[in-house]
Amino acid sequence: MNWYKVGELTDHNKPFIKKVKAGGKSVCLVGYEGRIYALSATCPHAGAELSGGWCREGKIICPFHRYSYNLQTGKGDPGQHDYVDTYPVEIREDGVYVGIASFGDKWREMFG
Ligand code: FES
C-alpha cells in the first residue's frame, strides 16, 4: 500500500467534496459528519464526476442520475447492482493521506 498526501489538515467537521489525485489515480475525497472518505472519482453508471454530487444519510449521490453509494463501503443502493472503489484515509500530523494498493499488494491479496 502506498500512501499519498492529498490535502492539508482542515476543520474535519466542515463538509466538503473534492476531486484529488493520489498516485496518478483520481479520487473523490469527502468530508462528511466529521470523517473523511475516499472513493473512486467516477460514477460506474455512466461516468459522471462524483465530486459534483452531494451527500445524504452516509451516501454520496451522483449528480447525473442520482445513483447513491455508501461512503464507507462504496456499495450502491439496492437495485443498482454496482459499487465504487473505496480507499483508506489517514489523518497525519502534516495532512490527509489516501492509501492506494499497488499491483503487488493486489497480487498478494489474491494469491497469498
Ligand atoms: S452517471 Fe452516475 S448515476 Fe448515472
Side-chain angles (χ1 to χ4, degrees):
M1 176 87 56
N2 295 317
W3 291 89
Y4 300 94
K5 186 176 176 181
V6 293
E8 301 300 322
L9 286 179
T10 53
D11 180 356
H12 299 150
N13 293 317
K14 277 198 188 138
F16 68 86
I17 304 178
K18 63 182 178 181
K19 186 176 168 183
V20 297
K21 283 274 185 197
K25 198 176 269 294
S26 292
V27 172
C28 180
L29 198 67
V30 179
Y32 178 76
E33 294 188 340
R35 286 197 57 185
I36 299 183
Y37 302 89
L39 316 149
S40 305
T42 307
C43 178
H45 177 232
E49 294 278 349
L50 286 175
S51 55
W54 61 93
C55 292
R56 189 175 60 217
E57 297 171 358
K59 298 171 184 175
I60 188 163
I61 317 294
C62 177
F64 273 24
H65 313 101
R66 304 194 176 192
Y67 277 25
S68 52
Y69 300 92
N70 184 290
L71 287 168
Q72 201 151 14
T73 64
K75 205 164 172 251
D77 265 2
Q80 289 177 201
H81 306 295
D82 62 357
Y83 68 94
V84 291
D85 285 331
T86 58
Y87 307 101
V89 175
E90 270 189 16
I91 312 296
R92 297 183 186 172
E93 269 179 27
D94 65 332
V96 179
Y97 284 75
V98 169
I100 305 288
S102 67
F103 179 76
D105 294 334
K106 288 179 184 164
W107 181 268
R108 275 187 292 278
E109 205 174 280
M110 284 194 305
F111 302 108

